Amino acid sequence: MLEQAQRVLKDVFGYDSFRGSQGAIIERVARGGDALVLMPTGGGKSLCYQVPALLRDGLTIVVSPLIALMDDQVATLDELGVPAAALNSTVSPEQQRELAVRLRQGEIKLLYLAPERLVQPRMLSFLQQLNVALFAIDEAHCVSQWGHDFRPEYLQLGQLAELFPDVPRIALTATADKRTREEIVNRLALHDAERFLSSFDRPNIFYRIVPKEQPRKQLLAFLGERKGDAGIVYCLSRKKVDEVAAQLVEQGFPALPYHAGLPAELRAFHQKRFLNEEGLIMVATIAFGMGIDKSNVRYVAHLDLPKSLEAYYQETGRAGRDGLPADAWMAYGLQDVLMLKQMIQNSEGDERHKRVEQHKLDAMLALCEEIRCRRQALLAYFDETLPQPCGHCDNCVDGVLTWDATEPARQALSAIYRTGQRYGVGHLVDVLLGRDNEKVRSAGHERLAVFGVGKGRPEGEWRSLYRQLVARGLADMDLEGFGGLRLTDACRPLLRGEISLELRRDLKPQVTARSSGGSPASQLVRGEEREQWEALRALRRRLAEEHGVPPYVIFPDSTLLEMLRSQPQSLAEMGRVSGVGARKLERYGAAFLDVLGGGSAVAPAPVVDLRHELVSLARAGMTPAQIAGQLNCTEKNVYSLLAEAIAAQQLSLEQALDLPFELLSEIQDAFLDGEGELPAVSDIAGQFQGKVPEGVLYCVRAALQSEFEL
Ligand code: ADP
Ligand code: ZN
């Protein structure tokens, strides 16, 4: 059986070997046994049922909660030459009838269904007439009422066990905790299922958490090192999402906003663009993410603190599904803690629920202030032991400087106490530094013993100290009092001098900005490889457009990278590249060989593609100068491409240039002055010398010309 599975893996999917426990899982399921699979995102869950589906006789039903995900998988299978279909609300009645015929004739190997549709009595009795080979229940944690993805329809999937007693079932999830696991087994009646628990480590993700200083600047520095890469930037509020997205666009980054406040069509459009185009940045609330299957998300950046490690793990896990280097970056500060605490306080649940949420937040904070390996700490939270520090997180790579903060911590706590436990950090720091301002004076705080005791220490250090005191539960924030600090029971031993306190020393912001990487995933490709890499990507994009699928469905980045590195020179060699199966070899092998064959002498990205890129940048609101930076060419080039795009009516003049109205009319008048043909740019250039770049004139002329042609 395993041998057959291996053959399917190579012939259909183009992969050489199974990852982790994939082989064992596939063998179990293909032989008709049940399985429960816990595997992290990107671990390769899909193959665990797709390969058995091809090995077993009959139809495999895949239950999946998300339409986008279904469509993506069907498109991927289609590219591989595997007959698959999805049945959801986007399928018309007519198409449904057609599909039913094909199902009856046994022409389909995999059918994707939403749970609510599967459990409809009509659907169930229809399926009972077919030869069902396997049920795969994806995102199985949705049965858990405790989890945030709970879907009541999942509860009804338990009846499959009785209705189809002889059909094996496989349930899969990337959610790690024990309680969810037991719930899945009980609710789906998977008592005989063999359990396959993989490590939840995501070794290709580099973790970095920095203190918030000037968050937007820090973000820009981080993104600046990752130009051209696709990534997600998470913010807590809708307002902030809009602001950050706008700011990024202004700074020349192709960014799109996504949150529940946007109209549904716009949201769907942005999501689609993120999936289909390369190098876009999605600025989003946590409304974005579930079911995003894009494999080459190179980074996930958090501008605000997630509310738990579960959320952090899940959100950062969207980076690097393809196994190539990826970054999880976060900036966090005391303000985040206040916001989240307020959210917990104002949430609906009972007190017990709030306490649980509070504990989860504490665990998240502990990771932020962690002085040992971040990965060890993160995995430990999920009951997994990583024996050695990972060597692939900020703490491992930069080392953590710690200092004995016992004495200053006492001073800081004492300042809280003496001022009446109701002031925020700003005021407390003023008191410690002996700043004689109005607020201090009106409260009479200049007469306190702690006034000015902290003069020897810079403001930043005091702020960092307060942040860490809160994170460690030695001080708490008063939520009604707008973040005033108060003491907790936990700080007593410290005040009494019974324990000492060792804290992280924050690195200087410029240091953190410069070395925001550690693993700049954008340096995936070395300088001399860049041209060919871009040519491969351009070809992939063209093919993706032709086939109406996202680029990564044609080939994932990892496959392109292997082509680049191994330089296959024949179809046979191309077939050995991981990810090139028989069908794709036949369809695309020659085209990609062509690109490689010419070696680096091949022209980079054909002009059409550059223009394509330029059009989307211009539409995103970038100025010619910003576009030039982005495309790594001169502004003059950008102007001539813009003029071409305008002439081809891919772009309006307004989209291309932001010209003041008067200036625009002046230029238009100059062109329209005479009779007959439009004058050439050189004829009127003298008139506008020093006023506007010549390129602007080309653009205006192109716009006028295309108007005339209509
Ligand atoms: P998950 O559903 O667990 O998040 P996927 O099934 O989407 O993960 O797989 C993630 C990526 O890994 C996909 O691009 C997939 O093609 C690739 N992959 C899976 N199994 C293998 C394998 N054995 N060898 C090479 N690539 C694999
Ligand atoms: Zn580490």
Side-chain angles (χ1 to χ4, degrees):
M1 184 63 86
L2 198 57
E3 225 168 86
Q4 277 170 284
Q6 207 96 41
R7 206 164 324 124
V8 168
L9 181 73
K10 183 66 207 165
D11 289 350
V12 178
F13 296 90
Y15 297 134
D16 291 326
S17 53
F18 289 114
R19 261 194 212 156
S21 43
Q22 273 177 338
I25 297 167
I26 288 166
E27 198 170 4
R28 161 93 187 166
V29 175
R31 284 184 195 280
D34 293 343
L36 171 63
V37 173
L38 273 73
M39 210 183 256
T41 306
K45 283 185 286 298
S46 325
L47 284 189
C48 296
Y49 53 83
Q50 288 171 346
V51 175
L54 295 179
L55 292 173
R56 285 179 70 81
D57 182 36
L59 172 70
T60 290
I61 305 288
V62 185
V63 183
S64 167
L66 297 150
I67 294 178
L69 209 87
M70 290 185 197
D71 291 346
D72 211 59
Q73 291 233 350
V74 171
T76 304
L77 288 169
D78 199 44
E79 284 295 323
L80 296 170
V82 177
L87 189 48
N88 54 42
S89 52
T90 65
V91 180
S92 72
E94 196 173 322
Q95 289 170 318
Q96 288 187 27
R97 273 191 296 277
E98 232 168 78
L99 183 56
V101 173
R102 292 181 66 201
L103 285 166
R104 281 225 175 76
Q105 292 173 340
E107 284 174 17
I108 306 265
K109 286 304 288 180
L110 290 107
L111 178 67
Y112 286 77
L113 279 177
E116 57 274 22
R117 193 170 280 256
L118 172 59
V119 297
Q120 282 168 4
R122 263 184 54 205
M123 184 51 120
L124 287 170
S125 64
F126 174 69
L127 291 179
Q128 275 174 319
Q129 298 161 24
L130 302 179
N131 176 19
V132 178
L134 170 67
F135 284 104
I137 303 168
D138 207 1
E139 315 284 353
H141 62 280
C142 292
V143 295
S144 163
Q145 275 160 306
W146 295 103
H148 36 58
D149 296 331
F150 175 57
R151 296 198 170 223
E153 316 84 66
Y154 262 74
L155 294 176
Q156 295 184 48
L157 295 175
Q159 55 181 315
L160 294 177
E162 293 154 31
L163 292 175
F164 298 86
D166 301 325
V167 180
R169 289 169 300 139
I170 173 173
L172 311 101
T173 176
T175 300
D177 69 87
K178 285 187 195 145
R179 183 156 76 174
T180 311
R181 200 183 305 161
E182 295 317 315
E183 260 191 291
I184 294 174
V185 168
N186 289 327
R187 303 213 180 262
L188 297 182
L190 280 169
H191 306 284
D192 297 329
E194 190 175 337
R195 300 180 181 199
F196 297 90
L197 314 182
S198 311
S199 164
F200 271 73
D201 187 18
R202 299 287 311 278
N204 58 319
I205 297 183
F206 186 95
Y207 296 96
R208 179 178 295 280
I209 302 177
V210 302
K212 254 185 207 177
E213 312 269 349
Q214 294 168 292
R216 306 281 171 94
K217 263 200 183 154
Q218 290 169 289
L219 177 69
L220 285 175
F222 173 81
L223 296 179
E225 292 174 6
R226 286 160 185 76
K227 284 216 168 124
D229 286 344
I232 305 173
V233 177
Y234 279 115
C235 305
L236 201 55
S237 70
R238 298 171 184 186
K239 181 161 168 275
K240 190 156 164 190
V241 164
D242 288 333
E243 283 169 15
V244 171
Q247 191 191 12
L248 289 180
V249 168
E250 201 172 291
Q251 297 284 333
F253 291 94
L256 300 169
Y258 188 104
H259 56 68
L262 294 175
E265 317 85 73
L266 189 63
R267 230 162 43 213
F269 178 62
H270 285 180
Q271 168 160 335
K272 197 166 169 194
R273 283 195 57 195
F274 183 70
L275 296 181
N276 287 307
E277 294 174 37
E278 291 186 280
L280 287 190
I281 302 173
M282 190 65 111
V283 185
T285 61
I286 53 171
F288 179 74
M290 169 97 164
I292 295 303
D293 228 356
K294 188 177 171 80
S295 66
N296 58 347
V297 174
R298 292 268 65 85
Y299 56 84
V300 169
H302 280 95
L303 266 189
D304 293 305
L305 193 65
K307 65 184 171 55
S308 66
L309 283 176
E310 285 90 345
Y312 176 72
Y313 178 80
Q314 196 176 49
E315 285 151 27
T316 54
R318 291 176 186 137
R321 270 172 175 250
D322 52 13
L324 296 173
D327 285 290
W329 180 91
M330 174 161 98
Y332 118 96
L334 204 49
Q335 201 55 31
D336 295 335
V337 184
L338 177 63
M339 294 247 281
L340 287 174
K341 283 188 180 231
Q342 276 168 339
M343 278 170 68
I344 294 172
Q345 197 61 39
N346 301 334
S347 68
E348 277 163 22
D350 53 20
E351 280 312 308
R352 201 181 69 96
H353 179 77
K354 288 181 185 174
R355 260 202 312 282
V356 171
E357 297 283 295
Q358 181 59 49
H359 282 308
K360 292 191 166 192
L361 176 57
D362 290 343
M364 183 68 239
L365 290 174
L367 182 74
C368 295
E369 304 295 355
E370 182 60 63
I371 53 182
R372 292 158 308 160
C373 169
R374 303 250 195 225
R375 193 178 312 267
Q376 280 182 317
L378 186 59
L379 290 174
Y381 181 80
F382 295 114
D383 297 318
E384 200 180 318
T385 312
L386 188 69
Q388 298 293 325
C390 73
H392 198 52
C393 71
D394 55 351
N395 287 357
C396 282
V397 170
D398 304 344
V400 178
L401 296 177
T402 59
W403 56 299
D404 181 354
T406 312
E407 192 47 40
R410 278 207 215 122
Q411 293 171 339
L413 291 169
S414 160
I416 296 175
Y417 185 70
R418 299 282 165 207
T419 53
Q421 312 204 53
R422 60 193 139 102
Y423 288 93
V425 173
H427 183 74
L428 293 168
V429 171
D430 283 349
V431 170
L432 285 165
L433 293 177
R435 285 182 181 150
D436 202 351
N437 60 29
E438 207 176 299
K439 195 169 171 191
V440 167
R441 235 169 227 291
S442 66
H445 290 162
E446 79 283 5
R447 296 195 297 274
L448 297 176
V450 291
F451 184 74
V453 295
K455 272 189 181 144
R457 211 169 276 289
E459 171 163 357
E461 266 184 47
W462 284 114
R463 288 183 173 270
S464 158
L465 179 58
Y466 274 118
R467 192 189 73 229
Q468 297 189 59
L469 288 175
V470 172
R472 286 168 176 248
L474 297 171
D476 197 5
M477 288 180 129
D478 174 11
L479 303 179
E480 282 87 57
F482 304 104
L485 294 192
R486 52 169 190 252
L487 304 187
T488 63
D489 288 342
C491 80
R492 298 253 157 78
L494 182 65
L495 281 175
R496 285 200 295 261
E498 291 164 11
I499 56 166
S500 61
L501 184 66
E502 189 173 300
L503 291 184
R504 258 185 101 95
R505 188 179 288 290
D506 289 346
L507 296 173
K508 289 269 167 301
Q510 53 273 40
V511 177
T512 43
R514 179 170 46 78
S515 62
S516 68
S519 84
S522 49
Q523 282 161 30
L524 225 52
V525 179
R526 291 183 290 266
E528 70 274 16
E529 297 170 331
R530 178 109 349 237
E531 263 183 38
Q532 225 178 33
W533 172 248
E534 293 305 338
L536 289 170
R537 296 219 303 177
L539 173 60
R540 175 174 69 172
R541 194 161 54 225
R542 209 191 73 215
L543 293 170
E545 257 164 36
E546 279 172 22
H547 291 236
V549 296
Y552 56 89
V553 167
I554 302 287
F555 283 128
D557 277 10
S558 46
T559 297
L560 286 199
L561 200 59
E562 197 181 315
M563 282 183 199
L564 187 69
R565 297 277 149 82
S566 66
Q567 294 284 326
Q569 294 300 321
S570 65
L571 279 176
E573 281 174 26
M574 182 62 96
R576 268 179 241 132
V577 172
S578 175
V580 185
R583 172 65 72 105
K584 287 191 179 174
L585 182 65
E586 185 190 318
R587 278 194 181 171
Y588 310 128
F592 281 90
L593 268 183
D594 264 0
V595 171
L596 293 167
S600 50
V602 162
V607 175
V608 212
D609 277 300
L610 202 56
R611 194 160 92 201
H612 176 98
E613 189 131 0
L614 166 116
V615 167
S616 51
L617 296 178
R619 286 196 188 142
M622 286 200 190
T623 65
Q626 287 165 339
I627 296 175
Q630 185 80 9
L631 298 181
N632 199 9
C633 60
T634 65
E635 257 184 77
K636 214 168 152 179
N637 288 336
V638 170
Y639 277 117
S640 66
L641 283 168
L642 284 173
E644 275 175 44
I646 293 171
Q649 303 194 345
Q650 290 172 314
L651 211 58
S652 71
L653 186 63
E654 293 72 36
Q655 283 171 320
L657 302 173
D658 190 13
L659 283 181
F661 182 71
E662 283 87 343
L663 184 56
L664 176 60
S665 336
E666 202 182 329
I667 300 174
Q668 283 171 333
D669 289 344
F671 274 119
L672 298 174
D673 216 356
E675 292 275 303
E677 293 240 341
L678 283 179
V681 168
S682 53
D683 293 336
I684 66 158
Q687 216 177 310
F688 294 97
Q689 203 154 29
K691 263 188 170 166
V692 288
E694 208 172 80
V696 169
L697 304 181
Y698 281 106
C699 290
V700 176
R701 188 173 190 280
L704 288 170
Q705 195 157 36
S706 76
E707 258 177 55
F708 284 169
E709 272 167 16
L710 272 179

